[in-house]
Amino acid sequence: MIAADLVAWTRLLAFTADAEVLATCEPKALRYRLLHVPARLIHGQRRRRLKIPETWPWAAAIVAVFANIAAIPWSA
């Protein structure tokens, strides 16, 4: 039940605008598209960056999901 709730809330909060392509996916397809990204973690300039290849079909949607999650305000 927790996993189903987490998927539902993530769809409501993060899969908007450019990420709407992923909002209609089944949970199995969603896991595949998010967890099988051929990305590299890059360290430099005191920051960590996730480098996603532009050739990955859902690269723009995944970047939009991370941006939407980062834009959620912290509670006080």
Side-chain angles (χ1 to χ4, degrees), residues 16-37:
T16 59
D18 293 336
E20 286 183 3
V21 174
L22 298 175
T24 58
C25 291
E26 293 291 324
K28 187 175 181 179
L30 189 63
R31 276 194 313 269
Y32 176 80
R33 292 175 184 177
L34 290 177
L35 298 179
H36 289 88
V37 177

Side-chain angles (χ1 to χ4, degrees), residues 2-74:
I2 293 173
D5 288 342
L6 183 61
V7 169
W9 278 106
T10 305
R11 283 184 178 170
L12 285 174
L13 296 174
F15 295 163
T16 59
D18 293 336
E20 286 183 3
V21 174
L22 298 175
T24 58
C25 291
E26 293 291 324
K28 187 175 181 179
L30 189 63
R31 276 194 313 269
Y32 176 80
R33 292 175 184 177
L34 290 177
L35 298 179
H36 289 88
V37 177
R40 291 180 29 207
L41 187 61
I42 307 237
H43 299 277
Q45 301 168 349
R46 298 183 185 192
R47 294 181 140 186
R48 283 186 224 140
R49 291 189 178 98
L50 188 64
K51 188 168 182 161
I52 300 172
E54 294 178 8
T55 58
W56 185 251
W58 305 283
I62 291 171
V63 170
V65 166
F66 282 117
N68 291 341
I69 291 172
I72 297 173
W74 289 85

